[in-house]
Amino acid sequence: METGSRLVVLWLTLLLTAVMSPCVHAIDPKQIDPLLYEEQLLWVSGVEGNVNTYRVPLLTYTPKGSLLAFAEGRKLLASDEGSKFIAMRRSTDKGATWSPTSFIVDDGTISDGLNLGSVVVDEEAGSVILIFSVCFHLHGCRPSSTMMVESKNDGLSWSAPRNLSVQLGVKNFAPGPGFGIQKRYSPAKGRLVVCGHGTLEGDGVFCILSDNHGRNWTNGAALKSIPYNQPKRPQDFNPDECQPVEMPDGSIVINVRNQNNYHCRCRVVARSRDGGESLPIDDVTFDYTLVDPVVAAGALQKDGVLYFTNPANEQHRVNLTLRWSVTHGKSWENKVLQIWAGPSGYSCLTSLNSGSPEDEKYIFVIFEKGKKDYDETISFVKIHLYGGQ
């Protein structure tokens, strides 16, 4: 009887230790030493599918552990205007192999076609939602519309596009580019938050919100440009393309393109503490470490570490670089990982969140890459967080 009691006490002690201790597989920030582990070209402009140029890459995980990569397939021209496809490739083996390209949305021959976009994973509903705009530049068509497609089967098929402008109005809204978030912490736990920007005159960071898994959307936070709805001059405050991440305290930090180089040639950082409903000016800062040539950048919060990618150059879209912060973005580690020294543009990050030790070792980056111009290819890289040791 005494031996049995001791076994029970030992079992309870081990159980309490496991419950009360930090995650067994949690990353020790001091051990982070990233190494570019694998790389694949997912798209090459002018080669496949009657597409002139592939641009604006997005990358996400799915609730079932797949990876989905998206890009704009610009049919005739490299410019932001014109007709496009949404191209997609899917990987079920953590990026080792990819499906052939499928075009999940085709805007036909519209003169001002679709613009990607933001992808958001609804883990509660088990779905992946893609938000994009049509006629954003009002070039030969109007009004601009915010659109949504959804996959409930791990990216194998997608719903018909749904126009959200009935709920949101017809204000020009270009989501992302990057990913939206589902709030994991209070306030507004479970809410879907997608942030983007407006027209160049009416620019700024704007967020849309859904509290019922994407069935209904409302307008949320707005950080408007100055002067608003007026032509801009150099050094005017003009926040633009953006990437939100949720911090452990439940706030949403949004890393923003500084379109007119207001205050610095670096990134603007905004914060919402109410689930994406407001972006107070008191919580707007400038991150001087994150030098930037005016471009869409990537950010990812994983296991208490904030990762960031952009072409780290004040003037030119070159030198795609990974940085990381163990202080929630208050400071950045001195060491960096250069992913590509040459021409590089937009980027997006993701990771798998199964909780397994293997998945916690890696993050994934998709980015625009070239030898002469940054829009020649779209490349996928797998980065081992401890690989440089």
Side-chain angles (χ1 to χ4, degrees), residues 16-27 360:
L16 287 171
T17 301
V19 170
M20 298 181 70
S21 298
C23 178
V24 174
H25 307 303
I27 289 176
E360 289 185 355

Side-chain angles (χ1 to χ4, degrees), residues 21 30 32 41 143 147 159 163 171 197 200 271 274 297 342 350:
S21 298
K30 296 178 182 179
I32 295 175
L41 291 183
M147 309 293 291
S159 66
N163 196 326
K171 173 181 169 55
H197 68 99
L200 291 181
R271 185 187 294 263
D274 54 12
T350 197

Side-chain angles (χ1 to χ4, degrees), residues 60-354:
T60 190
Y61 68 96
T62 73
K64 292 184 178 180
S66 298
L67 293 173
L68 302 180
F70 305 89
E72 285 184 9
R74 300 182 173 186
K75 297 177 184 178
L76 302 176
L77 303 168
S79 67
D80 291 346
E81 299 170 359
S83 57
K84 307 178 187 74
F85 300 108
I86 295 180
M88 189 199 81
R89 298 186 70 177
R90 179 172 176 267
S91 175
T92 58
D93 54 11
K94 304 180 183 183
T97 61
W98 293 84
S99 69
T101 297
S102 59
F103 296 124
I104 63 173
V105 178
D106 180 355
D107 61 22
T109 59
I110 188 171
S111 59
D112 186 8
L114 62 87
N115 288 87
L116 275 180
S118 191
V119 59
V120 58
V121 178
D122 188 331
E123 296 194 32
E124 295 179 3
S127 67
V128 180
I129 293 171
L130 190 62
I131 307 289
F132 60 98
S133 63
V134 174
C135 197
F136 175 77
H137 307 92
L138 304 178
H139 178 72
C141 58
R142 64 181 57 241
S144 178
S145 296
T146 303
M147 309 293 291
M148 166 182 159
V149 293
E150 182 176 16
S151 176
K152 297 183 178 180
N153 60 357
D154 206 50
L156 290 172
S157 63
W158 295 82
S159 66
R162 179 159 67 95
N163 196 326
L164 303 181
S165 299
V166 176
Q167 300 171 4
L168 298 172
V170 294
K171 173 181 169 55
N172 296 50
F173 174 69
F179 59 81
I181 62 172
Q182 182 171 49
K183 293 280 277 95
R184 299 188 180 202
Y185 311 106
S186 296
K189 184 178 178 181
R191 170 178 288 172
L192 305 182
V193 181
V194 172
C195 301
H197 68 99
T199 63
L200 291 181
E201 291 78 15
D203 213 345
V205 174
F206 303 94
C207 300
I208 61 173
L209 317 173
S210 176
D211 289 316
N212 59 3
H213 307 292
R215 290 190 295 275
N216 298 95
W217 294 84
T218 58
N219 290 298
L223 177 65
K224 295 182 178 180
S225 59
I226 303 172
Y228 185 62
N229 267 339
Q230 297 179 42
K232 298 296 187 294
R233 297 179 179 179
Q235 285 82 55
D236 280 346
F237 181 62
N238 202 16
D240 195 77
E241 294 168 325
C242 58
Q243 176 59 68
V245 293
E246 186 176 18
M247 307 306 284
D249 65 358
S251 66
I252 301 170
V253 168
I254 307 178
N255 196 288
V256 186
R257 171 174 171 164
N258 189 359
Q259 180 66 28
N260 285 47
N261 294 311
Y262 177 79
H263 200 65
C264 64
R265 292 183 178 272
C266 67
R267 305 292 295 183
V268 180
V269 180
R271 185 187 294 263
S272 175
R273 301 180 187 273
D274 54 12
E277 295 179 16
S278 69
L279 287 168
I281 197 68
D282 290 355
D283 280 323
V284 175
T285 59
F286 299 87
D287 196 323
Y288 303 106
T289 302
L290 304 182
V291 297
D292 191 73
V294 183
V295 70
L300 177 71
Q301 175 80 3
K302 179 179 173 67
D303 295 326
V305 180
L306 181 62
Y307 298 93
F308 175 81
T309 53
N310 79 328
N313 186 286
E314 290 190 357
Q315 302 286 343
H316 305 290
R317 293 184 178 182
V318 295
N319 187 33
L320 192 85
T321 299
L322 173 72
R323 297 181 183 272
W324 58 98
S325 170
V326 299
T327 59
H328 308 305
K330 296 176 182 177
S331 63
W332 297 88
E333 296 298 295
N334 291 327
K335 186 173 182 178
V336 302
L337 174 67
Q338 184 184 71
I339 297 175
W340 176 244
S344 42
Y346 288 21
S347 58
C348 184
L349 293 84
T350 197
S351 67
L352 297 173
N353 63 350
S354 67

Side-chain angles (χ1 to χ4, degrees), residues 1-24:
M1 184 68 179
E2 183 179 356
T3 301
S5 299
R6 287 179 177 176
L7 289 173
V8 170
V9 170
L10 177 61
W11 181 83
L12 288 173
T13 301
L14 291 172
L15 178 62
L16 287 171
T17 301
V19 170
M20 298 181 70
S21 298
C23 178
V24 174

